[in-house]
Every structure is written in structure tokens, then in C-alpha cells.
Amino acid sequence: MSETPLSLIDRVRFSGDDASWAELVELYTPFLQRWAAKFQIQSSDCNDLVQDVLMTVHQNVNSFEHSGRSGAFRAWLRSILVHRISNYWRKRKNAAVGQGGSDFHDLLQTMSDPNSNLSQLWEREHDAFVLAHLLDRVRVRFTPTSFEAFHRTALRGESAAQVAADLKISVNAVFVAKSRILSELRRQSQTLI
């Protein structure tokens, strides 16, 4: 029986290898940049802020304790981002007042609350972002026809019969493609999240 592969976070924590860290940086940099922009971080400062967030993750990942609940890492990452954004605006106190003042600080407080709509948006966007990354990783392992069959049935909810007719393949081929790609997504997700 094979062992369950270590997640990306565990590989960063326990092996400390550069490839795993590079993968984490590649995965999360665009996501963090998008969220920093939502808090009116100037594009010239955005990369520095994201690097600061990732440096904090790097420095503290060994003390990160997974609670066993789904989303523990993304909640931890969100709290680091909120803290770094707050520090960014605290250092630019006059600019923060010009950028929305107390409304802006209320927004940061809302982001800190795991039950807020903004935090729920973070959760959904995180999951969509990771799924898109996984789909990109998996796409190259299958024929374009197989991936199209999977995409249309699994992600868009189209009927297998309609997809088979459109792609000029059998309904069974559609189900096989969907099954194989879902299996590969599950396998890849175990190594990522």
C-alpha cells in the first residue's frame, strides 16, 4: 500500500526543499496580488507586500499547526495578509485616511472575521484559484478531446450524450475521460493541498 503523498505545505514544512517552496510561491503569488489590489495597494508596492506575506509564511510555516479542519492553511494565510495590509497602511497613515479612513479599517476587520462575507469570498476565490491551477496541471496529461469532454460534463454540467455527439465520440468515452481526469485531479490535489 502506498503512502498518502505529503501536501505542498507539509513538503515545505518538513523537507524544506527549494522546489516545494518555489511551487508554493508560484501558486500563491498571483492570488495574493489580486487580494492586495482589493485593498488599494499600489501596484508598485504590491509585489513587496506579497513578498512580505510569503516571507512571513516561510519564517513561520514550521510553527503552523493544522487544526485538521479543511481550509486551515488558507485561513492562516488570510490572517497574515490582513496583518501585512494593516501594517502597510499604518506606515502610510495619512494615505489610509485619504483612501477611505475608518471604512477601510472596517473592511480589514471584516476580512479578519472568518464568518464575514468578505472572508467567505476569500474562501471561494481561493478554492477557484487552486482548482484552476490543478486543471492547468492536469490538462497536459490528456488529449484535448478528453479534457473537453471532462470540462463540459464535470464543470459545466452538460449531458454526456450531448457532449459525445458534439465531440463525435461514444458516451462511454465521455464517462471514461471524466473518470480518469477526476481521478488525476484527486491525486494531484493530495500533493498540493
Side-chain angles (χ1 to χ4, degrees):
M1 178 178 265
S2 64
E3 291 182 11
T4 302
L6 289 176
S7 72
L8 177 59
I9 301 308
D10 287 339
R11 284 183 281 141
V12 167
R13 287 174 67 192
F14 301 127
S15 70
D17 68 283
D18 291 340
S20 295
W21 177 249
E23 186 177 355
L24 185 135
V25 168
E26 180 184 337
L27 173 64
Y28 279 103
T29 295
F31 181 69
L32 292 168
Q33 287 172 331
R34 187 177 327 155
W35 272 85
K38 291 180 186 207
F39 285 89
Q40 302 171 355
I41 305 297
Q42 296 176 2
S43 59
S44 59
D45 294 332
C46 188
N47 287 338
D48 290 340
L49 182 109
V50 169
Q51 284 180 347
D52 193 24
V53 169
L54 291 170
M55 183 59 69
T56 301
V57 169
H58 188 266
Q59 291 169 344
N60 296 292
V61 73
N62 288 332
S63 62
F64 168 69
E65 301 233 2
H66 198 291
S67 64
R69 293 174 48 194
S70 178
F73 177 77
R74 70 177 168 242
W76 184 61
L77 184 63
R78 185 185 72 237
S79 68
I80 292 170
L81 178 65
V82 167
H83 183 72
R84 293 297 172 230
I85 290 172
S86 181
N87 284 348
Y88 173 86
W89 283 116
R90 191 175 9 261
K91 289 176 184 176
R92 291 156 185 82
K93 194 171 191 168
N94 293 336
V97 171
Q99 295 289 336
S102 63
D103 290 343
F104 180 79
H105 294 291
D106 290 345
L107 187 63
L108 277 175
Q109 285 298 105
T110 301
M111 180 77 171
S112 297
D113 177 3
N115 298 314
S116 72
N117 289 336
L118 191 58
S119 290
Q120 296 305 313
L121 178 63
W122 163 275
E123 300 282 328
R124 288 189 306 274
E125 286 188 9
H126 174 274
D127 291 351
F129 192 81
V130 170
L131 176 61
H133 183 79
L134 285 169
L135 289 170
D136 286 344
R137 285 173 86 172
V138 167
R139 181 184 321 265
V140 298
R141 299 174 186 262
F142 296 92
T143 66
T145 301
S146 292
F147 196 82
E148 179 73 13
F150 160 77
H151 186 266
R152 289 178 61 185
T153 56
L155 301 179
R156 289 202 208 131
E158 295 180 33
S159 75
Q162 182 61 51
V163 171
D166 291 350
L167 297 177
K168 298 177 179 33
I169 59 176
S170 71
V171 172
N172 188 54
V174 171
F175 286 124
V176 167
K178 181 179 175 181
S179 175
R180 287 182 179 163
I181 293 173
L182 282 172
S183 177
E184 182 61 16
L185 280 170
R186 284 185 197 100
R187 190 182 74 71
Q188 290 285 329
S189 72
Q190 289 177 339
T191 65
L192 188 63
I193 54 176

PDB file of all heavy atoms in Angstrom, residues 113-125:
ATOM      1  N   ASP A 113     -12.676  38.536  10.177  1.00  0.00           N
ATOM      2  CA  ASP A 113     -13.763  37.706  10.695  1.00  0.00           C
ATOM      3  C   ASP A 113     -14.006  36.533   9.749  1.00  0.00           C
ATOM      4  O   ASP A 113     -14.422  36.725   8.613  1.00  0.00           O
ATOM      5  CB  ASP A 113     -15.039  38.549  10.822  1.00  0.00           C
ATOM      6  CG  ASP A 113     -16.247  37.745  11.280  1.00  0.00           C
ATOM      7  OD1 ASP A 113     -16.111  36.537  11.572  1.00  0.00           O
ATOM      8  OD2 ASP A 113     -17.339  38.337  11.333  1.00  0.00           O
ATOM      9  N   PRO A 114     -13.758  35.295  10.195  1.00  0.00           N
ATOM     10  CA  PRO A 114     -13.905  34.142   9.299  1.00  0.00           C
ATOM     11  C   PRO A 114     -15.331  33.920   8.813  1.00  0.00           C
ATOM     12  O   PRO A 114     -15.542  33.226   7.823  1.00  0.00           O
ATOM     13  CB  PRO A 114     -13.414  32.963  10.137  1.00  0.00           C
ATOM     14  CG  PRO A 114     -13.474  33.416  11.547  1.00  0.00           C
ATOM     15  CD  PRO A 114     -13.347  34.903  11.538  1.00  0.00           C
ATOM     16  N   ASN A 115     -16.310  34.516   9.466  1.00  0.00           N
ATOM     17  CA  ASN A 115     -17.701  34.327   9.072  1.00  0.00           C
ATOM     18  C   ASN A 115     -18.248  35.459   8.202  1.00  0.00           C
ATOM     19  O   ASN A 115     -19.407  35.413   7.793  1.00  0.00           O
ATOM     20  CB  ASN A 115     -18.587  34.169  10.311  1.00  0.00           C
ATOM     21  CG  ASN A 115     -18.187  32.943  11.108  1.00  0.00           C
ATOM     22  OD1 ASN A 115     -17.988  31.868  10.557  1.00  0.00           O
ATOM     23  ND2 ASN A 115     -18.026  33.115  12.406  1.00  0.00           N
ATOM     24  N   SER A 116     -17.431  36.458   7.933  1.00  0.00           N
ATOM     25  CA  SER A 116     -17.899  37.598   7.136  1.00  0.00           C
ATOM     26  C   SER A 116     -18.041  37.216   5.664  1.00  0.00           C
ATOM     27  O   SER A 116     -17.440  36.247   5.192  1.00  0.00           O
ATOM     28  CB  SER A 116     -16.925  38.771   7.266  1.00  0.00           C
ATOM     29  OG  SER A 116     -15.727  38.493   6.560  1.00  0.00           O
ATOM     30  N   ASN A 117     -18.828  38.001   4.960  1.00  0.00           N
ATOM     31  CA  ASN A 117     -18.988  37.777   3.519  1.00  0.00           C
ATOM     32  C   ASN A 117     -17.658  37.909   2.789  1.00  0.00           C
ATOM     33  O   ASN A 117     -17.388  37.168   1.846  1.00  0.00           O
ATOM     34  CB  ASN A 117     -20.014  38.756   2.927  1.00  0.00           C
ATOM     35  CG  ASN A 117     -21.417  38.434   3.356  1.00  0.00           C
ATOM     36  OD1 ASN A 117     -21.732  37.298   3.716  1.00  0.00           O
ATOM     37  ND2 ASN A 117     -22.283  39.433   3.333  1.00  0.00           N
ATOM     38  N   LEU A 118     -16.834  38.855   3.224  1.00  0.00           N
ATOM     39  CA  LEU A 118     -15.539  39.053   2.576  1.00  0.00           C
ATOM     40  C   LEU A 118     -14.630  37.838   2.780  1.00  0.00           C
ATOM     41  O   LEU A 118     -13.947  37.395   1.849  1.00  0.00           O
ATOM     42  CB  LEU A 118     -14.876  40.324   3.109  1.00  0.00           C
ATOM     43  CG  LEU A 118     -13.647  40.813   2.359  1.00  0.00           C
ATOM     44  CD1 LEU A 118     -13.955  41.080   0.887  1.00  0.00           C
ATOM     45  CD2 LEU A 118     -13.093  42.063   3.020  1.00  0.00           C
ATOM     46  N   SER A 119     -14.631  37.285   3.968  1.00  0.00           N
ATOM     47  CA  SER A 119     -13.838  36.070   4.220  1.00  0.00           C
ATOM     48  C   SER A 119     -14.380  34.881   3.433  1.00  0.00           C
ATOM     49  O   SER A 119     -13.612  34.052   2.942  1.00  0.00           O
ATOM     50  CB  SER A 119     -13.811  35.747   5.709  1.00  0.00           C
ATOM     51  OG  SER A 119     -13.038  36.700   6.390  1.00  0.00           O
ATOM     52  N   GLN A 120     -15.692  34.813   3.317  1.00  0.00           N
ATOM     53  CA  GLN A 120     -16.289  33.740   2.517  1.00  0.00           C
ATOM     54  C   GLN A 120     -15.912  33.899   1.046  1.00  0.00           C
ATOM     55  O   GLN A 120     -15.683  32.906   0.346  1.00  0.00           O
ATOM     56  CB  GLN A 120     -17.809  33.719   2.687  1.00  0.00           C
ATOM     57  CG  GLN A 120     -18.259  33.407   4.111  1.00  0.00           C
ATOM     58  CD  GLN A 120     -17.688  32.108   4.642  1.00  0.00           C
ATOM     59  OE1 GLN A 120     -17.719  31.090   3.973  1.00  0.00           O
ATOM     60  NE2 GLN A 120     -17.150  32.147   5.852  1.00  0.00           N
ATOM     61  N   LEU A 121     -15.816  35.148   0.571  1.00  0.00           N
ATOM     62  CA  LEU A 121     -15.353  35.405  -0.795  1.00  0.00           C
ATOM     63  C   LEU A 121     -13.906  34.947  -0.957  1.00  0.00           C
ATOM     64  O   LEU A 121     -13.545  34.326  -1.954  1.00  0.00           O
ATOM     65  CB  LEU A 121     -15.491  36.892  -1.128  1.00  0.00           C
ATOM     66  CG  LEU A 121     -15.001  37.317  -2.513  1.00  0.00           C
ATOM     67  CD1 LEU A 121     -15.816  36.631  -3.613  1.00  0.00           C
ATOM     68  CD2 LEU A 121     -15.061  38.840  -2.655  1.00  0.00           C
ATOM     69  N   TRP A 122     -13.073  35.233   0.051  1.00  0.00           N
ATOM     70  CA  TRP A 122     -11.677  34.759   0.044  1.00  0.00           C
ATOM     71  C   TRP A 122     -11.649  33.242  -0.117  1.00  0.00           C
ATOM     72  O   TRP A 122     -10.901  32.708  -0.921  1.00  0.00           O
ATOM     73  CB  TRP A 122     -10.987  35.184   1.337  1.00  0.00           C
ATOM     74  CG  TRP A 122      -9.715  34.445   1.669  1.00  0.00           C
ATOM     75  CD1 TRP A 122      -9.608  33.247   2.316  1.00  0.00           C
ATOM     76  CD2 TRP A 122      -8.374  34.851   1.366  1.00  0.00           C
ATOM     77  NE1 TRP A 122      -8.289  32.891   2.446  1.00  0.00           N
ATOM     78  CE2 TRP A 122      -7.511  33.855   1.872  1.00  0.00           C
ATOM     79  CE3 TRP A 122      -7.830  35.951   0.732  1.00  0.00           C
ATOM     80  CZ2 TRP A 122      -6.126  33.937   1.759  1.00  0.00           C
ATOM     81  CZ3 TRP A 122      -6.445  36.033   0.618  1.00  0.00           C
ATOM     82  CH2 TRP A 122      -5.607  35.035   1.124  1.00  0.00           C
ATOM     83  N   GLU A 123     -12.489  32.550   0.669  1.00  0.00           N
ATOM     84  CA  GLU A 123     -12.547  31.087   0.619  1.00  0.00           C
ATOM     85  C   GLU A 123     -12.918  30.604  -0.792  1.00  0.00           C
ATOM     86  O   GLU A 123     -12.278  29.712  -1.336  1.00  0.00           O
ATOM     87  CB  GLU A 123     -13.568  30.553   1.631  1.00  0.00           C
ATOM     88  CG  GLU A 123     -13.285  30.905   3.077  1.00  0.00           C
ATOM     89  CD  GLU A 123     -12.207  30.057   3.703  1.00  0.00           C
ATOM     90  OE1 GLU A 123     -12.082  28.878   3.332  1.00  0.00           O
ATOM     91  OE2 GLU A 123     -11.493  30.583   4.572  1.00  0.00           O
ATOM     92  N   ARG A 124     -13.974  31.182  -1.354  1.00  0.00           N
ATOM     93  CA  ARG A 124     -14.427  30.757  -2.686  1.00  0.00           C
ATOM     94  C   ARG A 124     -13.380  31.055  -3.747  1.00  0.00           C
ATOM     95  O   ARG A 124     -13.106  30.213  -4.610  1.00  0.00           O
ATOM     96  CB  ARG A 124     -15.754  31.433  -3.044  1.00  0.00           C
ATOM     97  CG  ARG A 124     -16.950  30.904  -2.277  1.00  0.00           C
ATOM     98  CD  ARG A 124     -18.264  31.440  -2.813  1.00  0.00           C
ATOM     99  NE  ARG A 124     -18.337  32.888  -2.884  1.00  0.00           N
ATOM    100  CZ  ARG A 124     -18.698  33.675  -1.879  1.00  0.00           C
ATOM    101  NH1 ARG A 124     -19.036  33.153  -0.716  1.00  0.00           N
ATOM    102  NH2 ARG A 124     -18.748  34.991  -2.036  1.00  0.00           N
ATOM    103  N   GLU A 125     -12.795  32.248  -3.687  1.00  0.00           N
ATOM    104  CA  GLU A 125     -11.782  32.602  -4.681  1.00  0.00           C
ATOM    105  C   GLU A 125     -10.536  31.752  -4.519  1.00  0.00           C
ATOM    106  O   GLU A 125      -9.902  31.383  -5.505  1.00  0.00           O
ATOM    107  CB  GLU A 125     -11.453  34.091  -4.609  1.00  0.00           C
ATOM    108  CG  GLU A 125     -12.546  34.951  -5.187  1.00  0.00           C
ATOM    109  CD  GLU A 125     -12.161  36.413  -5.309  1.00  0.00           C
ATOM    110  OE1 GLU A 125     -10.977  36.770  -5.103  1.00  0.00           O
ATOM    111  OE2 GLU A 125     -13.064  37.212  -5.623  1.00  0.00           O
TER     112      GLU A 125
END
